Amino acid sequence: MATGRNHRPATRSRGIPEATVARLPLYLRALTALSERSVPTVSSEELAAAAGVNSAKLRKDFSYLGSYGTRGVGYDVEYLVYQISRELGLTQDWPVVIVGIGNLGAALANYGGFASRGFRVAALIDADPAMAGKPVAGIAVQHTDELESIISDNGVSIGVIATPAGAAQQVCERLVAAGVTSILNFAPTVLSVPDGVDVRKVDLSIELQILAFHEQRKAGEEAEAAASRKGPDGDMPAVMPA
Amino acid sequence: MATGRNHRPATRSRGIPEATVARLPLYLRALTALSERSVPTVSSEELAAAAGVNSAKLRKDFSYLGSYGTRGVGYDVEYLVYQISRELGLTQDWPVVIVGIGNLGAALANYGGFASRGFRVAALIDADPAMAGKPVAGIAVQHTDELESIISDNGVSIGVIATPAGAAQQVCERLVAAGVTSILNFAPTVLSVPDGVDVRKVDLSIELQILAFHEQRKAGEEAEAAASRKGPDGDMPAVMPA
DNA sequence: ATGTCTTTGTGAACGCGTGCACAAAGATGG
DNA sequence: CCATCTTTGTGCACGCGTTCACAAAGACAT
């Protein structure tokens, strides 16, 4: 993935493949939606369609967690929600700090998807003294000087970096020194961290560049196909309006 | 990727592996930094360190593009910047529309990483009539009604969806019907699109959940190691109270 | 021109992830 | 209790991606 997969060499954590872990939140979201509609059970086929994956893959993914399905019936929605939540560690409360309260940081602070999944924004931190005390998403921004005490007072182990690229590595080092062991990095930089610290990267510009590559390829193939009336391979799909 | 990889079944586009394409922007960024420091050449070892990857992987990646290096010396920075830019399609101008100008949409509009890489924000679109005309990042927001005409007038082929989850699929369908063939989706939903349309997904909540999983595992291993000095089987994780 | 030294480019092996296809398991009806 | 039908769980094969290790290639000094 977006990104940013590949942050671990090849560590298979407790038998659950990394690729499976990355899909569990996807299943969880689909299951939560079913739960809200009071659907009691769901088959692997239905759930796979809702999550946008192959049903065999989904069944294999679940098989790593245990045998939670009933043959001939499917999976119990509520039970599965609980099991996946537990496996992902979402049954406990994760205090999170966001460093860098610019446009992106503010957007993250306001993002509803955090609170609903066991994540609690413990603090917003910015280096600009003018920001200190200003409320963003109902939380007063604190100055970078407070970083270390905030982390240790709240027992924060997950940090989000939304600073400019130039500040990211330094912020990262302070976070790690203060006890943070998982970092979600939005700054367009490669962070270097000691062993035992997980980093996941989200890079908006990179995603767009990948799209541009495919877009260019499509345009190229099109021109190519238009030029030669007789294409040897006919794998160009007709674009159907949804 | 994060993120969000795996949006294509297994299509190897024009001989260049998908995994390689995803890393090209990373190399490009490192090379651009070197270029700004007027470094003339760089070895695969140095560049790999700057990009945070294995040097053998980097060389193999470049080998898909051609033989652009000089043995005994390394790679010419400027030349490589050009070649990768061309391969990614960044030598041309890509007009982009952003739909959904909330916190996140505004952050994206203000994000500097777009303009510097051949992407031009052609329009900001929001469904709220109260937003229409309001300038965000120096561009006046336009109403959703204008969506189709904006797309066709500007020849937009890349769209960014930053709407709430409920609106995403509908917006997506309108974008596709109007001619967009690449979509970057920030809404927490699985978009269904016709063949020929690329979708990349960035999901903030999913990234955090993956971090939480590893965080929990780290905490579990720690507790396990502390509790049992010599455990016979170590596959049963101690369930920690929430 | 020749030898040495550095660094690229790649052949080959390995491991992970994916998807097919099917047997095992349980529900359901008679 | 038995037959049938649905759906899970998984053995297996295949392909992609990663990494090692080394031969080929060029720079540079003598």
Side-chain angles (χ1 to χ4, degrees):
Chain A
M1 306 256 147
T3 260
R5 323 26 232 159
N6 60 32
H7 66 303
R8 288 231 147 196
T11 316
R12 185 176 278 211
S13 318
R14 144 78 191 302
I16 302 182
E18 192 61 28
T20 295
V21 172
R23 279 189 296 268
L24 290 182
L26 217 58
Y27 302 144
L28 184 56
R29 168 152 28 223
L31 285 165
T32 305
L34 291 173
S35 172
E36 281 166 4
R37 290 197 286 129
S38 299
V39 177
T41 61
V42 66
S43 71
S44 65
E45 202 72 44
E46 292 168 314
L47 186 54
V53 302
N54 185 297
S55 70
K57 194 190 297 187
L58 179 142
R59 287 197 300 275
K60 181 149 291 190
D61 282 343
F62 285 172
S63 78
Y64 292 114
L65 309 181
S67 288
Y68 295 146
T70 306
R71 300 182 189 220
V73 175
Y75 299 91
D76 181 282
V77 172
E78 294 299 332
Y79 187 57
L80 204 49
V81 164
Y82 169 73
Q83 289 298 342
I84 295 180
S85 294
R86 192 178 52 81
E87 199 68 50
L88 284 172
L90 304 181
T91 51
Q92 59 185 283
D93 185 72
W94 293 103
V96 170
V97 296
I98 301 175
V99 185
I101 312 301
N103 280 293
L104 181 58
L108 294 172
N110 279 293
Y111 183 54
F114 292 169
S116 66
R117 290 209 168 47
F119 298 100
R120 179 172 50 83
V121 178
L124 305 179
I125 302 176
D126 199 281
D128 183 1
M131 288 289 293
K134 274 183 61 178
V136 171
I139 302 174
V141 175
Q142 294 176 270
H143 190 261
T144 315
D145 291 346
E146 318 281 341
L147 191 146
E148 282 77 9
S149 62
I150 293 169
I151 304 270
S152 70
D153 289 357
N154 295 81
V156 174
S157 54
I158 300 180
V160 178
I161 297 180
T163 67
Q169 179 63 43
Q170 193 190 347
V171 166
C172 171
E173 285 165 15
R174 287 183 65 183
L175 287 173
V176 170
V180 165
T181 48
S182 288
I183 291 176
L184 182 53
N185 179 34
F186 287 89
T189 320
V190 177
L191 292 181
S192 84
V193 294
D195 281 359
V197 175
D198 277 306
V199 176
R200 291 192 70 85
K201 182 165 54 88
V202 175
D203 193 314
L204 315 175
S205 160
I206 283 183
E207 299 298 324
L208 268 190
Q209 289 174 58
I210 296 172
L211 283 179
F213 172 85
H214 292 298
E215 198 59 41
Q216 178 181 240
R217 189 178 53 79
K218 280 186 242 172
E221 276 178 4
E222 218 167 76
E224 211 173 296
S228 62
R229 76 206 81 209
K230 185 62 178 65
D233 61 337
D235 70 349
M236 193 52 133
V239 177
M240 275 289 153
Chain B
M1 28 239 292
T3 289
R5 315 62 212 140
N6 59 32
H7 66 303
R8 285 232 149 197
T11 316
R12 183 175 280 210
S13 318
R14 144 81 189 302
I16 301 182
E18 192 60 29
T20 295
V21 172
R23 280 188 295 268
L24 289 181
L26 218 57
Y27 302 145
L28 184 56
R29 172 168 317 167
L31 285 165
T32 305
L34 290 172
S35 172
E36 280 166 3
R37 290 198 285 131
S38 300
V39 177
T41 61
V42 65
S43 71
S44 64
E45 203 72 45
E46 291 168 314
L47 187 55
V53 301
N54 185 298
S55 71
K57 193 190 297 189
L58 180 141
R59 286 198 300 276
K60 180 145 288 193
D61 282 343
F62 286 172
S63 77
Y64 292 113
L65 309 181
S67 288
Y68 294 147
T70 306
R71 298 180 189 223
V73 175
Y75 299 91
D76 182 282
V77 172
E78 295 298 334
Y79 187 57
L80 204 48
V81 164
Y82 170 72
Q83 290 298 343
I84 294 180
S85 294
R86 192 178 52 79
E87 199 68 49
L88 283 173
L90 304 182
T91 52
Q92 58 186 283
D93 185 72
W94 294 104
V96 170
V97 295
I98 302 175
V99 185
I101 313 301
N103 280 293
L104 181 57
L108 293 171
N110 279 293
Y111 182 54
F114 293 168
S116 66
R117 288 208 170 49
F119 298 100
R120 178 171 51 82
V121 178
L124 305 179
I125 302 175
D126 198 281
D128 182 3
M131 289 289 294
K134 274 183 61 177
V136 172
I139 303 173
V141 174
Q142 295 176 269
H143 191 262
T144 316
D145 292 345
E146 318 282 341
L147 190 147
E148 282 78 9
S149 60
I150 293 169
I151 304 270
S152 70
D153 290 356
N154 294 83
V156 174
S157 54
I158 301 179
V160 178
I161 297 180
T163 67
Q169 179 63 42
Q170 193 189 349
V171 166
C172 172
E173 284 166 17
R174 286 183 65 183
L175 287 173
V176 170
V180 165
T181 48
S182 288
I183 291 177
L184 182 54
N185 180 32
F186 286 90
T189 319
V190 177
L191 292 181
S192 84
V193 294
D195 281 357
V197 175
D198 277 305
V199 175
R200 292 192 71 84
K201 182 167 53 89
V202 175
D203 193 313
L204 314 175
S205 161
I206 283 183
E207 299 299 324
L208 267 190
Q209 289 175 57
I210 297 172
L211 283 179
F213 172 85
H214 292 298
E215 197 60 40
Q216 177 181 242
R217 190 178 52 78
K218 280 186 243 172
E221 277 177 3
E222 220 168 74
E224 204 176 303
S228 65
R229 72 207 86 203
K230 183 62 178 65
D233 63 336
D235 75 344
M236 196 48 144
V239 177
M240 282 287 146

